[in-house]
Amino acid sequence: MYEILLNIIAPVVVTAGIGFFWAKTGRAFHTETITTLVTNVGSPMLIFTTLVKLDMELGAFLEFAMYALLSAVSFCLVGLGILRMCRLDVRNYLPGLMFPNTGNMGLPLCLFAFGEAGLALAIAVFTIFSTLQFTFGVWLSSGESSARQLLRTPLLYAVSIGLAVKALSLPIPVWIINTTDLIGSLTIPLMLFALGVSLASLSISHIRLATGLSLLRLGMGFTVGYGLAAVFGLTGIERGVLILECSMPVAVFNYLFSLRYERAHSHVAGMVVISTLVSFITLPALLLFLL
């Protein structure tokens, strides 16, 4: 079992660690370029390829996406209630509680823990949370909503085309599959590398508040994931992926948005760093519980 845990955790920690030390040694890394490349090119290609090659019923994939949506709604309601009770600014802190790192950490962990089937389900979760983060999350941080922002999200088009191809059983030329597969394969390593670089550049401020909110994010994530899995009777890979993705730490994009829209970015940076460090520490126990 410990060898299995090492096989799952080591690739994630080592790749993110390389990015961390790369940044700490002062080497150049253009985070905005890499993030834009992963968001606009790599992730859509990965999602399209996974959907087209999906070895499961389309209905099962969409059903799992519904579970992800329910978890996001649960995070929003629980986070909103706690922040109101603690008299903390909702626009500053709700995104960090609502949007876990289902991409940089969630995708590779689900892949190594549950194989290609786990990756396919994790992509359903990643798609839902990414869409919400670039729409509802942007509105939370900026106070403005824009249909144009939604229409400029390549991820939505990749999902739509991939689902249409799968539903209609349309034949796709091999060269297209090979091309999207090649480009999509860049996504997970770049995500982890960028995660390490981002963690190296963040500083912890107001550690008490950041620690409290970080523990809330992780505890709430596990509780909601476990609760939904129990309510809907999920077992095996479905149960493992849902709980694992829900239990991820605060997503780095929350910090980027808080910085852009001047929303307590130093506190959010602390949430990203602390929740990620705690997550790495508790990850072996979580995987032992799920496997």
Side-chain angles (χ1 to χ4, degrees), residues 29 42 79 99 110-111 141 206 239 242 275:
F29 186 89
F99 299 113
C110 290
L111 172 62
S141 298
H206 299 276
R239 175 179 179 272
L242 183 63
S275 65

Side-chain angles (χ1 to χ4, degrees), residues 168-185:
L168 300 175
S169 300
L170 299 177
I172 302 294
V174 175
W175 69 268
I176 292 181
I177 296 295
N178 289 344
T179 301
T180 56
D181 194 18
L182 177 64
I183 299 174
S185 65

Side-chain angles (χ1 to χ4, degrees), residues 59-190:
F61 180 87
L62 295 176
E63 182 180 341
F64 202 79
M66 182 197 69
Y67 300 146
L69 181 60
L70 289 176
S71 66
V73 172
S74 300
F75 294 154
C76 181
L77 295 177
V78 174
L80 182 62
I82 293 177
L83 291 175
R84 290 291 192 192
M85 186 170 56
C86 297
R87 297 182 180 180
L88 293 172
D89 191 283
V90 171
R91 291 190 182 275
N92 286 352
Y93 304 113
L94 183 58
L97 296 177
M98 184 176 174
F99 299 113
N101 198 339
T102 57
N104 299 58
M105 281 186 64
L107 291 183
L109 282 172
C110 290
L111 172 62
F112 296 133
F114 304 107
E116 293 293 334
L119 176 62
L121 293 175
I123 281 180
V125 179
F126 172 63
T127 301
I128 293 297
F129 276 96
S130 295
T131 302
L132 289 174
Q133 187 160 31
F134 281 90
T135 52
F136 182 67
V138 170
W139 173 78
L140 270 177
S141 298
S142 67
E144 300 177 357
S145 59
S146 173
R148 183 180 299 179
Q149 176 69 32
L150 183 63
L151 295 175
R152 289 169 55 187
T153 306
L155 183 144
L156 294 181
Y157 296 104
V159 173
S160 301
I161 296 172
L163 290 177
V165 169
K166 184 68 177 177
L168 300 175
S169 300
L170 299 177
I172 302 294
V174 175
W175 69 268
I176 292 181
I177 296 295
N178 289 344
T179 301
T180 56
D181 194 18
L182 177 64
I183 299 174
S185 65
L186 298 172
T187 304
I188 290 178
L190 285 178

Side-chain angles (χ1 to χ4, degrees), residues 70-72 74-75 78 219-229 242-243 246:
L70 289 176
S71 66
S74 300
F75 294 154
V78 174
M220 175 180 64
F222 175 82
T223 303
V224 168
Y226 182 84
L228 287 175
L242 183 63
I243 295 176
C246 286

